[in-house]
Amino acid sequence: MYDFNFSVKTEILFGKDQLKYLPEKILENGSRVLICYGGGSIKKIGLYDKVISLLDENNIFYKELSAIKPNPRIDKVREGLEIIRENKLDFILAIGGGSVIDTAKLLACAVFTDKDPWKIIKKEVKIEKALKIGVILTIAATGSEMDSIGVVSNPQTKEKLSFSSPLLVPCFAIENPEFTYSVSPYQTASGVADIMGHTMENYFSLDDGCYLQNKIAEGILKTCIKFGPIALKEPTNYNARANILWASAWAINGLLNKGKNTSWTVHSMEHELSAYYDITHGVGLAILTPRFLKYILNEKTEKMLSDFAINVFDVEDTNNYRENAKKGIEALYKFFKDDLNLPMSLEELNITDEYFEEMAEKQAKRSNGYVGGVVPLEAKDVVQIYKASMKDEY
Amino acid sequence: MYDFNFSVKTEILFGKDQLKYLPEKILENGSRVLICYGGGSIKKIGLYDKVISLLDENNIFYKELSAIKPNPRIDKVREGLEIIRENKLDFILAIGGGSVIDTAKLLACAVFTDKDPWKIIKKEVKIEKALKIGVILTIAATGSEMDSIGVVSNPQTKEKLSFSSPLLVPCFAIENPEFTYSVSPYQTASGVADIMGHTMENYFSLDDGCYLQNKIAEGILKTCIKFGPIALKEPTNYNARANILWASAWAINGLLNKGKNTSWTVHSMEHELSAYYDITHGVGLAILTPRFLKYILNEKTEKMLSDFAINVFDVEDTNNYRENAKKGIEALYKFFKDDLNLPMSLEELNITDEYFEEMAEKQAKRSNGYVGGVVPLEAKDVVQIYKASMKDEY
């Protein structure tokens, strides 16, 4: 186990009856609020009205930044910055999922520089200060509600990149599983794949001795496998929604990766796809992960993947690591396809092989020649994994 | 899943090379330090000297409260309070395990009242303010380094009682697995039993739908089962010590019980034994838990205990919940006895049945007539469980 620091300062208010604490939690941290949200879904479920009433009743000043899209854009951040500055806002309330929260995170720190916010993502400007962020979570997926990371896209440069600072960890998150009842089966499935994707990025590593972390990761994966399909069939099943919602934070808040040597290879590959084709993040992860695992299956990794097969998918032990591993990867593929009903080929997302080399080169360049991973990958390996992801066949 | 709030603000500095950050972490929170520790073990391993050097080099003023014993006493708290007041100390550094940390916790809040500190434990004085506490952990056991709870004994009244406040969560904990190398096999085993005891108190509950929490609990139990015996045989096995050390916090910091309906029945029973006979807490838990589980095994609990058997002890499924459950409880008993070499009878601890009724009545009285639990227990049930714990037989 490697040395690590762990600290998660987010206060979680979880359950049916927690929204009422919103004004008090805001007022602990600020008084002039930028409300960030996406499309109309928070209006449809009545959440928007409830929030506005609570703010009005408590005389809390607010402005709005709406229409934040999945794979959130840098333009939206620029727009939000103007609103914050014009109105001297001092707190950001993100109502939504990862895109809204990540937009809030970049806004929170970008307001303290007079440089363009994209420079923060390009590491040309350091994050030294940030407004406090609160979250009302409406989808189980990214875990951005309890971590320090954001991901924002720049369509002009075809880049989707992450940024991070402990200053960006939300100070509170209100999580009511009922707020996720109206999430569509497709988005629910994508969210579950996203949670599993984060968990697997943290889980797959060699020789770091982090048994505890891996056992917890297996528990999170099993939770997704059990409740993902239930949430699809019974969207208002409280316990299914609750278990998935709470799992989303723990997949990525540090518990699973601290002490380990992780590299987030599949995310690197997926971010390029999203940057070029604006696809749903969780779907990209679902398509790429089984192909990635199949590609890296070798003498070094077969024991690790055999453990995964047995402990996560209850594959019967054949006393042959390689065989177990293959069955586990296949079970993962089938789970995404048959149980979560996700598209399992890039073809279905209208992606061609046109930019595979370009995307792979970009990743290799960012990582000094090879894309990290349990098995180090070069650009040509990434291209192979993309190609293997084209057709829906295992 | 029930509504809950979750927040753990402790910053963990885990690993071989973290002690150097001690001065900086102290100075973030105070400048005049009370160092609390137990016997001479921190001197034997050289930790005491290292800490003193770091404080001296950084001109940090300190006083000491030493010789804090297991099952820490209220007298020691009274002694510490005088030192804090005389020297106007503003920060407490606990170097040790649960006893030292719990003493620090009561000191931290008792200094803000002119009443006797025992009144805080008796809930006659409210905890409204507390000094900040830092921890250097030297044994994997209570998890007090990352929770809000303390337990202190009063030999005069034969009471061992807990107190709790979010204000008492340590602000940082430095955890170097190497600091636990010198912990004796017996204390190591007791610590592992303590971690498992906490985990099982959180794990065993009915109908709350907290699958995620239970899967994580199973992972923690499996970690103890895997690494406990290794740590006994190879005291300097870094990964064994590291996994157990990190597990200790997660067994009790809120992750396992939030959303659930837990009752900590075995702790209630064990605290009476410790109050009357000053036994090692983890050993008391190890002796009582299998007898408790056997006693509550019925139609309602057999499925829960069958899951435990299969998921934690890899008992082969007989397709009969009751049979599986019995095998699981037996496996737990044997693990404590054969793998951790713990005494498994009260007789071996020189405990007679003299005070069983008195102890049971005390517990029932505290809980309005019955001792809570997965199955509600009356005083007479508690007596039966004590009696079943007398002999080393399963």
Side-chain angles (χ1 to χ4, degrees), chain A residues 15-59:
Chain A
K16 295 180 184 182
D17 199 28
Q18 300 277 18
L19 189 63
K20 62 186 177 196
Y21 299 108
L22 177 66
E24 160 187 338
K25 289 293 145 195
I26 291 174
L27 292 169
E28 283 172 14
N29 296 286
S31 60
R32 297 175 68 83
V33 180
L34 179 71
I35 305 177
C36 297
Y37 59 98
S41 70
I42 67 162
K43 292 188 175 168
K44 262 185 232 153
I45 64 171
L47 175 57
Y48 175 84
D49 285 344
K50 280 184 200 160
V51 169
I52 296 301
S53 295
L54 282 167
L55 297 185
D56 285 343
E57 281 162 24
N58 290 274
N59 297 312

Side-chain angles (χ1 to χ4, degrees), chain A residues 159-227:
Chain A
E159 286 174 300
K160 176 180 176 177
L161 297 172
S162 65
F163 57 102
S164 174
S165 163
L167 296 168
L168 302 178
V169 178
C171 56
F172 69 83
I174 294 173
E175 309 194 9
N176 182 347
E178 293 173 338
F179 296 161
T180 69
Y181 283 175
S182 66
V183 177
S184 71
Y186 182 76
Q187 286 301 335
T188 298
S190 307
V192 170
D194 195 8
I195 299 168
M196 292 177 75
H198 298 160
T199 308
M200 288 186 285
E201 299 274 26
N202 288 327
Y203 179 74
F204 293 119
S205 67
L206 293 168
D207 306 324
D208 47 29
C210 294
Y211 182 88
L212 174 67
Q213 291 88 328
N214 280 1
K215 285 288 138 190
I216 296 174
E218 289 168 0
I220 292 174
L221 290 171
K222 277 191 162 281
T223 300
C224 292
I225 293 166
K226 181 179 173 70
F227 290 111

Side-chain angles (χ1 to χ4, degrees), chain A residues 215-266:
Chain A
K215 285 288 138 190
I216 296 174
E218 289 168 0
I220 292 174
L221 290 171
K222 277 191 162 281
T223 300
C224 292
I225 293 166
K226 181 179 173 70
F227 290 111
I230 296 176
L232 260 55
K233 283 185 207 102
E234 306 164 29
T236 61
N237 184 313
Y238 187 83
N239 274 333
R241 293 291 192 181
N243 275 279
I244 297 168
L245 194 62
W246 195 209
S248 75
W250 293 95
I252 199 170
N253 70 6
L255 178 57
L256 299 190
N257 71 306
K258 293 290 180 174
K260 299 194 73 175
N261 183 12
T262 63
S263 52
W264 289 68
T265 324
V266 182

Side-chain angles (χ1 to χ4, degrees), chain B residues 123-384:
Chain B
K123 318 263 183 281
E124 292 163 27
V125 172
K126 232 180 132 180
I127 300 170
E128 283 174 342
K129 212 175 158 186
L131 296 179
K132 294 276 182 75
I133 301 165
V135 171
I136 302 174
L137 195 61
T138 62
I139 180 169
T142 67
S144 192
E145 65 275 13
M146 210 178 178
D147 77 10
S148 60
I149 310 158
V151 182
V152 168
S153 294
N154 187 336
Q156 283 77 43
T157 60
K158 283 187 180 166
E159 286 174 298
K160 177 179 176 179
L161 297 173
S162 65
F163 57 101
S164 174
S165 162
L167 296 168
L168 303 177
V169 178
C171 57
F172 69 82
I174 294 174
E175 310 194 9
N176 181 347
E178 293 173 338
F179 296 160
T180 69
Y181 283 175
S182 66
V183 177
S184 71
Y186 181 75
Q187 287 300 337
T188 298
S190 306
V192 171
D194 196 8
I195 300 169
M196 292 176 74
H198 297 160
T199 307
M200 288 187 284
E201 298 274 26
N202 288 328
Y203 178 73
F204 292 121
S205 66
L206 294 169
D207 305 324
D208 48 29
C210 294
Y211 182 89
L212 174 67
Q213 290 88 329
N214 280 2
K215 284 289 138 190
I216 296 174
E218 288 168 1
I220 292 175
L221 290 171
K222 276 189 162 283
T223 301
C224 292
I225 292 165
K226 181 178 173 73
F227 290 110
I230 296 176
L232 295 189
K233 284 185 207 103
E234 307 164 27
T236 61
N237 183 313
Y238 187 83
N239 274 333
R241 293 291 193 181
N243 275 280
I244 297 169
L245 194 62
W246 194 210
S248 75
W250 293 96
I252 198 171
N253 69 7
L255 178 58
L256 299 192
N257 71 305
K258 293 289 180 176
K260 299 193 72 175
N261 183 12
T262 63
S263 52
W264 289 68
T265 324
V266 182
H267 270 68
S268 171
M269 290 189 276
E270 196 289 320
H271 282 180
E272 290 304 320
L273 289 180
S274 281
Y276 278 70
Y277 295 98
D278 198 17
I279 66 170
T280 302
H281 177 54
V283 176
L285 294 178
I287 293 172
L288 292 170
T289 304
R291 277 70 180 232
F292 163 72
L293 294 177
K294 205 170 165 182
Y295 193 82
I296 66 162
L297 176 56
N298 62 26
E299 271 175 30
K300 267 192 184 172
T301 61
E302 63 183 17
K303 165 77 168 65
M304 171 191 87
L305 286 160
S306 169
D307 286 348
F308 165 73
I310 294 168
N311 298 335
V312 175
F313 279 104
D314 298 320
V315 165
E316 206 174 323
D317 190 355
T318 62
N319 290 316
N320 179 314
Y321 291 149
R322 190 68 63 104
E323 283 313 304
N324 296 342
K326 282 182 186 168
K327 285 184 180 177
I329 300 168
E330 193 179 352
L332 178 67
Y333 183 89
K334 285 188 171 162
F335 175 75
F336 286 143
K337 183 172 165 63
D338 301 335
D339 297 308
L340 293 188
N341 303 322
L342 288 171
M344 285 304 284
S345 70
L346 296 180
E347 212 173 47
E348 286 167 82
L349 307 181
N350 299 315
I351 292 174
T352 65
D353 60 6
E354 189 180 353
Y355 298 109
F356 285 172
E357 273 83 11
E358 191 176 308
M359 292 190 287
E361 287 298 340
K362 269 194 186 178
Q363 294 168 66
K365 202 176 154 193
R366 274 204 301 276
S367 329
N368 302 319
Y370 66 90
V371 183
V374 191
V375 173
L377 301 178
E378 293 175 31
K380 68 178 172 47
D381 302 307
V382 172
V383 172
Q384 289 304 315

Side-chain angles (χ1 to χ4, degrees), chain A residues 33-34 36 84 90-94 104 107-108 131-135:
Chain A
V33 180
L34 179 71
C36 297
I84 295 177
D90 62 6
F91 184 82
I92 305 179
L93 178 65
L107 280 168
L131 296 180
K132 294 277 182 72
I133 300 164
V135 172

